[in-house]
Amino acid sequence: MAPSHVTPDPGGHIVHGSTIGQVWQQVIGTQPTPPLTLVLVTAVAALVVVLFGPVWRVARNVVTIAHEGGHALVALLSGRRLTGIRLHSDTSGVTVSVGKRTGPGMVFTGLAGYVTPSLLGLGCAALLTVNHLTALLWIGLLLLAAMLVMIRNAYGVVSVVATGVLLFLVSWFTSATVQAAVAYLITWFLLFGGIRPVYELQLKRSRRQAPDSDADQLHRLTGVPGLAWVTVFGLVAVGCLLVGGYWLVPDLPTFGDLTS
Protein backbone atom coordinates (compact mmCIF):
# COMPACT_ATOMS: atom_id res chain seq x y z
CA MET A 1 0.00 0.00 0.00
CA ALA A 2 1.36 3.44 -0.91
CA PRO A 3 2.34 5.65 2.01
CA SER A 4 -0.20 8.27 3.00
CA HIS A 5 0.72 11.94 2.86
CA VAL A 6 -1.52 14.32 4.75
CA THR A 7 -1.38 18.10 4.51
CA PRO A 8 -1.75 20.30 7.57
CA ASP A 9 -5.34 20.06 8.83
CA PRO A 10 -7.71 23.06 9.00
CA GLY A 11 -6.63 23.69 12.59
CA GLY A 12 -3.15 24.55 11.36
CA HIS A 13 -1.04 21.80 12.89
CA ILE A 14 1.13 19.42 10.90
CA VAL A 15 -0.41 15.98 10.69
CA HIS A 16 1.67 12.81 11.02
CA GLY A 17 2.39 11.49 7.55
CA SER A 18 2.98 14.85 5.91
CA THR A 19 5.73 14.94 3.30
CA ILE A 20 8.88 16.95 3.90
CA GLY A 21 7.73 19.41 1.25
CA GLN A 22 4.40 19.92 2.97
CA VAL A 23 6.07 20.41 6.32
CA TRP A 24 8.45 22.94 4.76
CA GLN A 25 5.56 24.85 3.22
CA GLN A 26 3.86 24.98 6.61
CA VAL A 27 7.02 26.26 8.26
CA ILE A 28 7.78 29.00 5.71
CA GLY A 29 4.13 29.87 5.16
CA THR A 30 2.09 32.40 7.10
CA GLN A 31 -0.55 31.69 9.68
CA PRO A 32 -3.74 33.61 10.50
CA THR A 33 -3.41 36.78 12.55
CA PRO A 34 -4.53 35.94 16.09
CA PRO A 35 -7.12 38.10 17.86
CA LEU A 36 -5.91 41.03 19.91
CA THR A 37 -7.27 39.33 23.02
CA LEU A 38 -4.78 36.46 22.61
CA VAL A 39 -1.90 38.89 22.15
CA LEU A 40 -2.80 40.83 25.30
CA VAL A 41 -3.53 37.75 27.42
CA THR A 42 -0.15 36.23 26.55
CA ALA A 43 1.52 39.56 27.39
CA VAL A 44 -0.08 39.56 30.84
CA ALA A 45 0.81 35.88 31.35
CA ALA A 46 4.45 36.51 30.42
CA LEU A 47 4.64 39.49 32.75
CA VAL A 48 3.25 37.41 35.61
CA VAL A 49 5.86 34.72 34.93
CA VAL A 50 8.65 37.30 35.07
CA LEU A 51 7.36 39.03 38.22
CA PHE A 52 6.28 35.99 40.25
CA GLY A 53 9.41 34.69 41.96
CA PRO A 54 8.74 30.91 42.19
CA VAL A 55 7.74 30.68 38.51
CA TRP A 56 10.52 33.01 37.41
CA ARG A 57 13.16 30.83 39.05
CA VAL A 58 12.17 28.00 36.69
CA ALA A 59 11.43 30.09 33.59
CA ARG A 60 14.69 31.99 33.98
CA ASN A 61 16.47 28.93 32.58
CA VAL A 62 15.19 29.97 29.15
CA VAL A 63 16.74 33.42 29.58
CA THR A 64 20.01 31.79 30.65
CA ILE A 65 19.99 29.61 27.53
CA ALA A 66 19.57 32.75 25.40
CA HIS A 67 22.21 34.62 27.44
CA GLU A 68 24.88 31.96 27.06
CA GLY A 69 23.90 31.35 23.44
CA GLY A 70 24.54 35.04 22.78
CA HIS A 71 28.02 34.82 24.29
CA ALA A 72 28.73 31.70 22.23
CA LEU A 73 27.52 33.10 18.91
CA VAL A 74 29.42 36.37 19.20
CA ALA A 75 32.55 34.53 20.33
CA LEU A 76 32.42 32.45 17.15
CA LEU A 77 31.66 35.47 14.95
CA SER A 78 34.63 37.35 16.42
CA GLY A 79 37.00 34.52 15.57
CA ARG A 80 37.30 32.94 19.00
CA ARG A 81 37.24 29.16 19.47
CA LEU A 82 34.27 28.02 21.49
CA THR A 83 35.11 25.18 23.88
CA GLY A 84 31.89 24.70 25.79
CA ILE A 85 28.77 25.99 27.54
CA ARG A 86 27.59 25.01 31.00
CA LEU A 87 24.13 25.73 32.41
CA HIS A 88 23.56 25.39 36.15
CA SER A 89 20.50 24.62 38.28
CA ASP A 90 20.71 28.06 39.94
CA THR A 91 20.04 29.52 36.44
CA SER A 92 23.61 30.77 36.08
CA GLY A 93 25.78 29.75 33.16
CA VAL A 94 29.31 29.87 31.79
CA THR A 95 30.51 30.07 28.20
CA VAL A 96 34.20 29.35 27.63
CA SER A 97 36.04 30.43 24.48
CA VAL A 98 39.70 30.57 23.55
CA GLY A 99 41.43 33.50 21.89
CA LYS A 100 42.88 36.92 22.64
CA ARG A 101 42.18 38.05 26.19
CA THR A 102 41.64 41.63 25.12
CA GLY A 103 40.32 43.49 22.11
CA PRO A 104 36.96 44.04 20.40
CA GLY A 105 36.19 40.31 20.18
CA MET A 106 36.27 39.92 23.95
CA VAL A 107 34.30 43.14 24.46
CA PHE A 108 31.50 42.14 22.10
CA THR A 109 31.44 38.62 23.53
CA GLY A 110 31.02 40.04 27.03
CA LEU A 111 28.40 42.51 25.87
CA ALA A 112 26.29 39.92 24.10
CA GLY A 113 24.96 37.95 27.06
CA TYR A 114 22.55 40.35 28.73
CA VAL A 115 21.26 41.90 25.50
CA THR A 116 20.60 38.65 23.62
CA PRO A 117 17.27 37.66 25.25
CA SER A 118 15.80 41.07 24.46
CA LEU A 119 17.17 41.08 20.91
CA LEU A 120 15.76 37.60 20.38
CA GLY A 121 12.42 38.84 21.64
CA LEU A 122 12.58 41.72 19.17
CA GLY A 123 13.38 39.28 16.35
CA CYS A 124 10.45 37.11 17.39
CA ALA A 125 8.18 40.15 17.37
CA ALA A 126 9.34 40.95 13.84
CA LEU A 127 8.41 37.42 12.70
CA LEU A 128 5.01 37.64 14.36
CA THR A 129 4.18 40.93 12.64
CA VAL A 130 4.39 39.09 9.32
CA ASN A 131 2.48 36.05 10.68
CA HIS A 132 5.37 33.55 10.61
CA LEU A 133 4.31 31.84 13.83
CA THR A 134 5.38 28.31 12.93
CA ALA A 135 8.69 29.56 11.54
CA LEU A 136 9.40 31.22 14.89
CA LEU A 137 8.97 27.90 16.70
CA TRP A 138 11.18 25.99 14.25
CA ILE A 139 13.91 28.63 14.29
CA GLY A 140 13.91 28.22 18.05
CA LEU A 141 14.35 24.47 17.60
CA LEU A 142 17.29 24.95 15.23
CA LEU A 143 19.02 27.37 17.60
CA LEU A 144 18.59 24.96 20.51
CA ALA A 145 19.96 22.08 18.42
CA ALA A 146 23.02 24.13 17.47
CA MET A 147 23.59 25.08 21.10
CA LEU A 148 23.18 21.51 22.34
CA VAL A 149 26.37 20.49 20.53
CA MET A 150 28.40 22.76 22.81
CA ILE A 151 26.75 21.95 26.16
CA ARG A 152 29.24 20.34 28.53
CA ASN A 153 27.20 19.36 31.60
CA ALA A 154 24.18 17.16 32.31
CA TYR A 155 21.90 19.88 33.64
CA GLY A 156 22.58 21.97 30.56
CA VAL A 157 21.72 19.07 28.26
CA VAL A 158 18.47 18.40 30.14
CA SER A 159 17.50 22.11 30.03
CA VAL A 160 18.12 22.51 26.31
CA VAL A 161 16.55 19.17 25.35
CA ALA A 162 13.46 19.78 27.50
CA THR A 163 12.95 23.22 25.96
CA GLY A 164 13.43 21.79 22.47
CA VAL A 165 10.98 18.94 23.06
CA LEU A 166 8.29 21.37 24.22
CA LEU A 167 8.79 23.52 21.12
CA PHE A 168 8.67 20.47 18.87
CA LEU A 169 5.46 19.15 20.41
CA VAL A 170 3.78 22.52 20.03
CA SER A 171 4.97 23.07 16.44
CA TRP A 172 4.14 19.53 15.27
CA PHE A 173 0.99 18.48 17.08
CA THR A 174 -1.02 21.56 18.06
CA SER A 175 -3.47 23.82 16.28
CA ALA A 176 -2.70 27.23 14.84
CA THR A 177 -4.36 28.86 17.83
CA VAL A 178 -2.16 27.02 20.32
CA GLN A 179 0.94 27.74 18.22
CA ALA A 180 0.02 31.42 18.17
CA ALA A 181 -0.46 31.49 21.94
CA VAL A 182 2.91 29.82 22.55
CA ALA A 183 4.73 31.99 20.00
CA TYR A 184 3.36 35.19 21.51
CA LEU A 185 4.02 33.96 25.05
CA ILE A 186 7.66 33.20 24.18
CA THR A 187 8.07 36.58 22.53
CA TRP A 188 6.58 38.55 25.40
CA PHE A 189 8.57 36.48 27.89
CA LEU A 190 11.86 37.29 26.15
CA LEU A 191 10.96 40.98 25.96
CA PHE A 192 9.93 41.23 29.61
CA GLY A 193 12.44 38.64 30.78
CA GLY A 194 15.35 40.53 29.29
CA ILE A 195 14.85 43.34 31.80
CA ARG A 196 14.71 41.51 35.13
CA PRO A 197 18.22 39.92 34.92
CA VAL A 198 19.70 43.39 34.39
CA TYR A 199 17.98 44.62 37.56
CA GLU A 200 19.14 41.51 39.44
CA LEU A 201 22.68 42.04 38.18
CA GLN A 202 22.89 45.58 39.51
CA LEU A 203 21.30 44.51 42.79
CA LYS A 204 24.04 41.91 43.25
CA ARG A 205 26.72 44.38 42.22
CA SER A 206 25.46 46.92 44.77
CA ARG A 207 25.88 44.22 47.43
CA ARG A 208 29.32 43.27 46.07
CA GLN A 209 28.06 39.76 45.29
CA ALA A 210 29.04 39.68 41.60
CA PRO A 211 32.69 40.80 41.24
CA ASP A 212 33.13 38.80 38.03
CA SER A 213 29.86 39.74 36.34
CA ASP A 214 29.77 40.57 32.63
CA ALA A 215 29.63 44.28 33.49
CA ASP A 216 32.70 44.07 35.71
CA GLN A 217 34.63 42.03 33.15
CA LEU A 218 33.76 44.66 30.55
CA HIS A 219 35.01 47.33 32.97
CA ARG A 220 38.35 45.56 33.25
CA LEU A 221 38.56 45.19 29.47
CA THR A 222 37.62 48.76 28.56
CA GLY A 223 38.02 50.95 31.64
CA VAL A 224 34.37 52.00 31.30
CA PRO A 225 32.62 51.70 34.69
CA GLY A 226 30.55 48.59 35.28
CA LEU A 227 27.47 50.70 36.03
CA ALA A 228 27.71 52.20 32.55
CA TRP A 229 27.62 48.72 31.04
CA VAL A 230 24.62 47.78 33.20
CA THR A 231 22.94 50.93 31.89
CA VAL A 232 23.65 49.82 28.32
CA PHE A 233 22.14 46.40 29.07
CA GLY A 234 19.06 48.08 30.54
CA LEU A 235 18.60 50.55 27.69
CA VAL A 236 18.76 47.76 25.12
CA ALA A 237 16.26 45.66 27.09
CA VAL A 238 13.78 48.50 27.58
CA GLY A 239 14.20 49.67 23.99
CA CYS A 240 13.48 46.18 22.64
CA LEU A 241 10.39 45.92 24.85
CA LEU A 242 9.03 49.27 23.65
CA VAL A 243 9.69 48.58 19.96
CA GLY A 244 8.63 44.93 20.11
CA GLY A 245 5.52 45.80 22.09
CA TYR A 246 4.56 48.42 19.52
CA TRP A 247 5.02 45.90 16.71
CA LEU A 248 2.88 43.32 18.48
CA VAL A 249 0.01 45.67 19.37
CA PRO A 250 0.24 48.65 16.98
CA ASP A 251 -3.53 49.21 16.99
CA LEU A 252 -4.01 49.14 20.77
CA PRO A 253 -6.56 51.84 21.66
CA THR A 254 -5.15 54.84 23.50
CA PHE A 255 -6.78 56.62 26.43
CA GLY A 256 -7.84 59.38 24.07
CA ASP A 257 -9.56 56.87 21.79
CA LEU A 258 -11.47 55.38 24.73
CA THR A 259 -12.70 58.74 26.02
CA SER A 260 -13.57 60.31 22.65
Side-chain angles (χ1 to χ4, degrees):
M1 183 173 64
S4 61
H5 301 299
V6 185
T7 57
D9 77 350
H13 61 273
I14 301 171
V15 179
H16 180 69
S18 300
T19 65
I20 293 177
Q22 290 164 344
V23 172
W24 177 246
Q25 288 302 315
Q26 174 71 2
V27 171
I28 66 172
T30 59
Q31 288 72 46
T33 302
L36 180 61
T37 302
L38 183 147
V39 178
L40 297 179
V41 167
T42 53
V44 172
L47 184 58
V48 169
V49 169
V50 171
L51 294 179
F52 187 51
V55 180
W56 168 247
R57 281 191 287 273
V58 177
R60 198 185 192 283
N61 284 285
V62 175
V63 176
T64 303
I65 290 172
H67 179 114
E68 299 304 329
H71 281 315
L73 177 61
V74 174
L76 291 173
L77 292 177
S78 62
R80 301 181 61 81
R81 181 169 61 85
L82 187 63
T83 60
I85 302 170
R86 301 177 71 88
L87 306 174
H88 304 134
S89 58
D90 63 355
T91 70
S92 65
V94 177
T95 299
V96 179
S97 60
V98 177
K100 290 180 60 177
R101 296 186 178 183
T102 59
M106 274 296 293
V107 173
F108 284 113
T109 299
L111 176 63
Y114 277 96
V115 303
T116 295
S118 295
L119 292 174
L120 278 177
L122 188 63
C124 290
L127 283 173
L128 293 180
T129 60
V130 290
N131 295 330
H132 283 293
L133 283 71
T134 304
L136 185 156
L137 299 174
W138 281 78
I139 289 172
L141 277 171
L142 292 175
L143 292 175
L144 288 169
M147 186 173 179
L148 183 61
V149 176
M150 297 307 302
I151 298 294
R152 294 293 182 265
N153 67 322
Y155 183 83
V157 170
V158 171
S159 297
V160 173
V161 170
T163 305
V165 167
L166 287 175
L167 282 181
F168 173 76
L169 292 176
V170 170
S171 63
W172 190 264
F173 292 109
T174 65
S175 68
T177 300
V178 174
Q179 290 184 15
V182 172
Y184 274 88
L185 182 63
I186 290 171
T187 301
W188 284 117
F189 175 72
L190 289 171
L191 291 172
F192 287 125
I195 295 176
R196 180 162 177 172
V198 179
Y199 165 76
E200 293 174 341
L201 168 65
Q202 184 54 31
L203 189 62
K204 288 182 178 179
R205 292 185 72 253
S206 67
R207 297 171 178 172
R208 301 185 184 279
Q209 296 175 341
D212 293 318
S213 71
D214 291 356
D216 292 286
Q217 291 184 47
L218 286 166
H219 166 58
R220 290 191 285 270
L221 284 167
T222 65
V224 177
L227 181 59
W229 289 108
V230 175
T231 302
V232 171
F233 299 158
L235 289 174
V236 171
V238 172
C240 287
L241 174 60
L242 293 176
V243 174
Y246 175 75
W247 287 350
L248 295 174
V249 285
D251 299 322
L252 187 66
T254 63
F255 180 76
D257 295 331
L258 297 175
T259 56
S260 61

